[in-house]
């Protein structure tokens, strides 16, 4: 296998892991102001993701670093074109991280409520923007012959990309609600189930709209693997919704996670061998061939990845094992 193909797959795997893990992370953050009826319950909700949220974001940082090293032309074009959106996302993530740490430093209810809403905003904005970004990649953005972004911020906003943003946000909400049913004790479980059932309908409508618009606005369905996995995502999402109804929380969470995994695979498969599609001229698209680093650089990176990736995976697996128990009102750290 060519190394640029290997690194395209590795970047796809990193984004798949990121969306799966950060998906429920964002969902819990968005549900925080609504499911917790008092401060103790809101602290319990925060503690479900408190020990793991920053580890989940490592997947995004690693994926971005891998993109920079393996496909520097994509990194440069993407950051110049998506600059404003990425800046807003970065600010939201910074506010979110600060909120986790500062919220419980003062017992003033107004102080804590303010940080709760910062966590909500810091979770909702990235969830929305990731959907907009992914759909822009497959729909195409104005890239000229010099591999430069030739549009404006508003060129990134279209009915298709906005539906993509809403679909990602709602699916992450659904995923987060199901995660809470597995990680918390008390009456919040039933509230989270009701939230999952209600949000699940909206998420299903948005997700099916996304699939339909992907069919009309992109060439994703020309890829057999992309077609199979995207329709597979629809099937497992519906299955997850049905399982949430009958309170099979573990299986429901697994199905919602699988829907996110299948969707990510579908979009990466639909892109291959392109990474950024040019809406001006298909031949100006950035691909794994014209946008990759040298063979020597990819070789060095592959050796580094073979050593470091297993260590990162083992560490994160250990973290989830240590914090595997349900959160109660007696063991609150955040």
């Amino acid at each position: 296998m060519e190394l640029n193909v290997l690194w395209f797959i590795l970047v796809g795997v990193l984004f798949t892991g990121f969306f799966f893990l950060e998906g429920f992370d964002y969902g819990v953050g968005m549900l925080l102001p609504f499911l917790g009826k008092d401060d103790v319950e809101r602290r319990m909700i925060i503690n479900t993701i408190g020990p793991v949220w920053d580890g989940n974001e490592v997947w995004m940082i690693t994926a971005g670093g891998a993109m920079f090293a393996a496909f520097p032309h994509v990194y440069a074009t993407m950051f110049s074109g998506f600059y404003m959106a990425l800046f807003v996302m970065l600010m939201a993530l910074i506010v979110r991280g600060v909120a986790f740490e500062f919220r419980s430093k003062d017992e003033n209810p107004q102080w804590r409520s303010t940080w709760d809403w910062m966590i909500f905003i810091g979770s909702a904005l990235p969830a929305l923007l990731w959907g907009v970004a992914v759909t822009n990649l497959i729909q195409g953005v104005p890239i000229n012959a010099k591999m430069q972004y030739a549009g404006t911020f508003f060129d990134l906003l279209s009915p298709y990309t906005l539906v993509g943003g809403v679909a990602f946000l709602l699916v992450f909400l659904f995923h987060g609600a199901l995660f809470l049913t597995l990680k918390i004790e008390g009456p919040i479980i039933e509230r989270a189930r009701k939230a999952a059932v209600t949000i699940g309908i909206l998420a299903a409508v948005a997700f099916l709209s996304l699939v339909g618009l992907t069919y009309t606005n992109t060439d994703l369905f020309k890829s057999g693997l992309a077609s199979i996995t995207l329709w597979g995502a629809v099937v497992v999402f519906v299955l997850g919704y049905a399982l949430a109804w009958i309170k099979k929380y573990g299986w429901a969470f697994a199905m919602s996670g699988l829907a996110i995994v299948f969707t990510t695979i579908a979009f990466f498969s639909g892109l291959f061998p392109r990474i950024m599609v040019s809406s001006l001229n298909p031949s100006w698209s950035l691909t794994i061939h014209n946008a990759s680093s040298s063979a020597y650089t990819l070789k060095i990176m592959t050796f580094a990845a073979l050593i470091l990736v297993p260590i990162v995976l083992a560490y994160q697996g250990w973290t989830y094992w240590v914090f595997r128990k349900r959160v109660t009102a007696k063991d609150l750290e955040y």
Side-chain angles (χ1 to χ4, degrees):
M1 180 184 291
E2 296 179 10
L3 288 180
N4 47 3
V5 176
L6 176 66
W7 275 94
F8 179 85
I9 295 171
L10 183 56
V11 170
V13 169
L14 290 170
F15 273 108
T16 301
F18 169 67
F19 287 135
F20 177 86
L21 295 172
E22 197 70 8
F24 68 71
D25 205 325
Y26 288 153
V28 171
M30 288 185 278
L31 290 167
L32 171 65
F34 307 103
L35 296 189
K37 299 301 182 187
D38 55 38
D39 185 60
V40 172
E41 288 190 351
R42 284 191 285 275
R43 289 188 67 193
M44 288 173 66
I45 292 172
I46 291 173
N47 275 266
T48 62
I49 56 173
V52 297
W53 71 269
D54 46 358
N56 294 342
E57 289 190 354
V58 168
W59 286 75
M60 177 185 68
I61 296 168
T62 308
M67 183 79 79
F68 170 72
F71 306 106
H73 293 298
V74 173
Y75 193 85
T77 304
M78 185 182 295
F79 268 70
S80 61
F82 294 6
Y83 179 80
M84 185 57 70
L86 291 173
F87 176 77
V88 172
M89 185 187 295
L90 180 61
M91 290 297 104
L93 291 175
I94 290 173
V95 167
R96 185 171 184 263
V98 171
F100 280 126
E101 300 300 329
F102 275 46
R103 182 192 182 280
S104 295
K105 300 297 184 185
D106 193 317
E107 295 184 358
N108 185 316
Q110 187 58 45
W111 168 272
R112 294 192 171 189
S113 175
T114 301
W115 288 117
D116 288 345
W117 284 103
M118 291 299 104
I119 293 173
F120 169 82
I121 294 170
S123 302
L125 275 178
L128 180 75
L129 290 173
W130 273 118
V132 173
V134 169
T135 45
N136 264 300
L137 290 179
I138 192 72
Q139 177 180 247
V141 292
I143 299 172
N144 62 25
K146 296 180 180 178
M147 298 185 180
Q148 295 172 343
Y149 183 78
T152 67
F153 170 76
F154 294 102
D155 289 319
L156 302 176
L157 305 178
S158 68
Y160 173 58
T161 59
L162 291 175
V163 167
V166 171
F168 269 55
L169 184 145
L170 290 171
V171 170
F172 288 165
L173 267 171
F174 179 68
H175 196 42
L178 292 174
F179 177 76
L180 280 177
T181 63
L182 298 174
K183 282 296 294 178
I184 211 161
E185 287 193 342
I188 303 177
I189 295 177
E190 181 57 22
R191 279 181 233 146
R193 188 192 75 84
K194 289 181 178 177
V197 169
T198 304
I199 294 165
I201 296 174
L202 300 174
V205 172
F207 191 47
L208 286 172
S209 301
L210 174 63
V211 173
L213 289 173
T214 298
Y215 182 79
T216 58
N217 289 38
T218 77
D219 60 359
L220 180 144
F221 283 93
K222 289 182 179 178
S223 162
L225 178 59
S227 303
I228 293 170
T229 48
L230 194 55
W231 285 117
V234 173
V235 171
V236 294
F237 183 86
V238 172
L239 188 56
Y241 182 79
L243 289 165
W245 258 104
I246 58 175
K247 301 184 180 182
K248 299 290 186 183
Y249 300 131
W251 283 107
F253 177 73
M255 292 300 108
S256 69
L258 205 53
I260 292 171
V261 170
F262 281 174
T263 302
T264 312
I265 293 172
F267 276 89
F268 269 86
S269 302
L271 278 170
F272 186 81
R274 306 160 300 174
I275 307 175
M276 292 187 75
V277 177
S278 172
S279 59
L280 302 178
N281 186 333
S283 64
W284 295 344
S285 298
L286 303 186
T287 70
I288 63 169
H289 303 293
N290 65 13
S292 71
S293 294
S294 67
Y296 179 73
T297 301
L298 294 177
K299 189 175 180 181
I300 295 295
M301 289 171 53
T302 304
F303 280 118
L306 286 173
I307 297 170
L308 296 176
V309 170
I311 295 174
V312 173
L313 291 176
Y315 171 76
Q316 188 141 36
W318 175 78
T319 305
Y320 274 91
W321 174 255
V322 169
F323 295 102
R324 65 189 182 280
K325 293 181 179 177
R326 287 182 181 270
V327 174
T328 69
K330 297 178 182 177
D331 48 6
L332 302 178
E333 298 292 335
Y334 290 85

